[in-house]
Amino acid sequence: MTDLQALRVDVAERCRELAAHGVALAGAGNVSVRSGDHVLITRGGMRFETAEADDVTVVTLAGDVVDGARPSSETGLHLGIYQRSDAEAVVHTHGRSSVAVGLVCDEMPLVHYNLLRLGGRIPTIPYLLFGSPELAEAVGTAVARGHGTVLMRNHGAVSSARTLAEAVEHACLTEWVCDVYLSARSLGTPALLTDGDLDAVAEQGSRLAYGR
């Protein structure tokens, strides 16, 4: 099996994993991974729950199709991230909780220190038409500023990371954090962390080699 074919298989498996987490309903969302000068991205109209290797298209960093079916309509969004950052994988989902939070918050409230794993601050990009150069530009600019995850108003969430596994984990963690916030809001006013709290968590994690 070639390296690109193995990556196609991995992308398809990760798509089915995301479907199992309930963050990619009704064919919404897309996944990609970078391999040198190529990007492997899910095809247009693909259903995550039935994804197979043949549902993954190979394109150049300029967006030209090398092999496979018509790529996702959000290919430009993915390429914009790769062109502006050192990300190696991107996951875009339409999870219920992340969409809901993006409707009302200009930035994800600091409800949990796990936000550090997502870049600390998660901004909400104003509504822009899906598949448009304007959306790709706005998201790519946010990622270039250090925001590994962003919300898109009236749309969904985008997570970028160093590996495909990490990008999938971040997409699921984003949905979890948004769900925690919405649940807390239903009970009252959530207690929020400060930037200083997050700095202290980062220092503590480094001191204790947390997660290693």
Side-chain angles (χ1 to χ4, degrees), residues 21-106:
H21 284 290
V23 296
L25 301 176
N30 24 80
V31 174
S32 72
V33 62
R34 180 173 179 173
S35 178
D37 295 330
H38 296 98
V39 171
L40 290 80
I41 186 165
T42 48
R43 67 170 177 81
M46 188 203 72
R47 295 276 176 160
F48 274 48
E49 63 272 18
T50 58
E52 298 293 344
D54 288 345
D55 292 314
V56 182
T57 299
V58 181
V59 301
T60 67
L61 289 171
D64 299 319
V65 174
V66 175
D67 187 36
R70 177 177 58 86
S72 167
S73 60
E74 295 291 10
T75 297
L77 184 153
H78 290 247
L79 296 179
I81 291 174
Y82 294 129
Q83 292 162 1
R84 293 173 175 84
S85 72
D86 59 359
E88 294 292 325
V90 176
V91 173
H92 165 40
T93 60
H94 290 192
R96 180 178 182 272
S97 294
S98 54
V99 171
V101 171
L103 292 174
V104 298
C105 297
D106 292 332

Side-chain angles (χ1 to χ4, degrees), residues 13-31 46-49 90-100 149 151-152 155-159 167-179:
E13 289 177 351
R14 299 297 180 178
C15 287
R16 297 195 297 272
E17 178 184 343
L18 287 163
H21 284 290
V23 296
L25 301 176
N30 24 80
V31 174
M46 188 203 72
R47 295 276 176 160
F48 274 48
E49 63 272 18
V90 176
V91 173
H92 165 40
T93 60
H94 290 192
R96 180 178 182 272
S97 294
S98 54
V99 171
T149 294
L151 302 180
M152 299 179 292
H155 191 161
V158 178
S159 293
V168 169
E169 181 179 87
H170 286 189
C172 294
L173 183 57
T174 298
E175 190 68 11
W176 178 82
V177 171
C178 288
D179 189 52

